[in-house]
Amino acid sequence: SAVISQKPSRDICQRGTSLTIQCQVDSQVTMMFWYRQQPGQSLTLIATANQGSEATYESGFVIDKFPISRPNLTFSTLTVSNMSPEDSSIYLCSVRTGRGNTIYFGEGSWLTVV
Amino acid sequence: GIQVEQSPPDLILQEGANSTLRCNFSDSVNNLQWFHQNPWGQLINLFYIPSGTKQNGRLSATTVATERYSLLYISSSQTTDSGVYFCAALEGSNYKLTFGKGTLLTVNP
């Protein structure tokens, strides 16, 4: 398995500001992903974070709104830009370790935009 | 892409009861996982089960890949089992998980 730490775990943000979420894994992983879970909803994939290159975004998500970095095999960041109340969600980092198909998730970052 | 449907959407049990949660998926999958999301939002891996049957304590899961469904069994439920149970399917080689909408389980004392 993998131990995945996310920061912040929870934050209240002002409308129009940006916040960066960090994801740190305790081992090198082949693939990292960012998901969003809006209140009362299921999880939706935002993007795949690619090491050393631009992230691959899913339909409905764009780089200007959700810039992602992945400088190495153990770390990634997701920025939620120019936030509005609709961005209030849990943002989750997930990884595939390369030793099978199991996907693991971090504890999530709860963002509330006021 | 693949579609994942879960039933029932909500389930209320008395402590000690048994339950079965179902997950149907629309196409063949490389991976099928069950998760439990606790009240703090954390997703906990329960099973990685693309086919066959696995058991872990009071929980067990069965996936019949040829018929495109998976079942999660909870026996002798406890209040700590409350939360949302998600199944998620992974298709192809891109390792993107598609989640169902979840089953909200409430276990009353």
Side-chain angles (χ1 to χ4, degrees), chain A residues 10 31 33 35 37 41-43 45 48 58 90 92 96 100-107 110, chain B residues 30-31 33 35 37 39-43 45 48 86 90 93-97 99-102:
Chain A
R10 195 178 287 264
M31 304 187 78
F33 307 90
Y35 284 81
Q37 186 180 24
Q41 303 297 311
S42 186
L43 282 79
L45 180 64
T48 302
E58 297 300 305
I90 304 174
L92 298 108
R96 174 181 174 262
N101 289 334
T102 307
I103 307 293
Y104 299 94
F105 282 82
E107 314 100 320
W110 290 68
Chain B
N30 293 330
N31 176 12
Q33 286 185 240
F35 296 90
Q37 188 169 40
W40 298 270
Q42 186 174 5
L43 273 175
N45 278 292
Y48 161 65
F86 288 104
L90 188 152
S93 59
N94 56 20
Y95 296 101
K96 298 189 302 184
L97 279 176
F99 280 78
K101 293 186 176 181

Side-chain angles (χ1 to χ4, degrees), chain A residues 84-95:
Chain A
S84 66
E86 291 72 33
D87 294 319
S88 298
S89 297
I90 304 174
Y91 292 86
L92 298 108
C93 170
S94 75
V95 305

Side-chain angles (χ1 to χ4, degrees), chain B:
Chain B
I2 196 167
Q3 307 295 314
V4 180
E5 295 183 355
Q6 291 186 245
S7 60
D10 302 278
L11 186 59
I12 300 174
L13 301 174
Q14 287 299 122
E15 202 167 23
N18 302 329
S19 62
T20 301
L21 281 56
R22 186 176 180 102
C23 174
N24 293 331
F25 41 95
S26 62
D27 208 342
S28 57
V29 298
N30 293 330
N31 176 12
L32 193 291
Q33 286 185 240
W34 284 96
F35 296 90
H36 176 218
Q37 188 169 40
N38 64 25
W40 298 270
Q42 186 174 5
L43 273 175
I44 300 166
N45 278 292
L46 297 178
F47 294 102
Y48 161 65
I49 185 164
S51 64
T53 297
K54 290 186 178 179
Q55 179 151 11
N56 184 4
R58 295 181 297 104
L59 303 181
S60 64
T62 296
T63 297
V64 183
T66 53
E67 298 187 21
R68 299 180 183 168
Y69 73 88
S70 184
L71 302 174
L72 179 69
Y73 305 96
I74 305 174
S75 64
S76 304
S77 57
Q78 301 175 358
T79 56
T80 52
D81 295 331
S82 296
V84 182
Y85 289 80
F86 288 104
C87 79
L90 188 152
E91 57 178 324
S93 59
N94 56 20
Y95 296 101
K96 298 189 302 184
L97 279 176
T98 300
F99 280 78
K101 293 186 176 181
T103 293
L104 174 60
L105 176 65
T106 303
V107 181
N108 292 321

Side-chain angles (χ1 to χ4, degrees), chain A:
Chain A
S1 65
V3 177
I4 306 167
S5 301
Q6 282 188 234
K7 292 182 183 179
S9 57
R10 195 178 287 264
D11 207 342
I12 299 173
C13 307
Q14 294 295 318
R15 186 191 304 243
T17 63
S18 298
L19 182 80
T20 296
I21 303 167
Q22 299 180 3
C23 177
Q24 179 72 55
V25 191
D26 68 340
S27 59
Q28 293 185 347
V29 295
T30 54
M31 304 187 78
M32 297 181 77
F33 307 90
W34 287 97
Y35 284 81
R36 180 177 74 180
Q37 186 180 24
Q38 294 177 301
Q41 303 297 311
S42 186
L43 282 79
T44 302
L45 180 64
I46 298 172
T48 302
N50 301 309
Q51 194 248 334
S53 64
E54 194 170 285
T56 304
Y57 289 84
E58 297 300 305
S59 176
F61 298 96
V62 294
I63 187 171
D64 289 347
K65 176 68 175 177
F66 298 102
I68 289 170
S69 78
R70 189 178 173 192
N72 56 51
L73 293 177
T74 64
F75 186 77
S76 178
T77 67
L78 167 74
T79 299
V80 185
S81 303
N82 188 25
M83 285 184 285
S84 66
E86 291 72 33
D87 294 319
S88 298
S89 297
I90 304 174
Y91 292 86
L92 298 108
C93 170
S94 75
V95 305
R96 174 181 174 262
T97 64
R99 290 190 293 273
N101 289 334
T102 307
I103 307 293
Y104 299 94
F105 282 82
E107 314 100 320
S109 298
W110 290 68
L111 300 189
T112 302
V113 184
V114 298

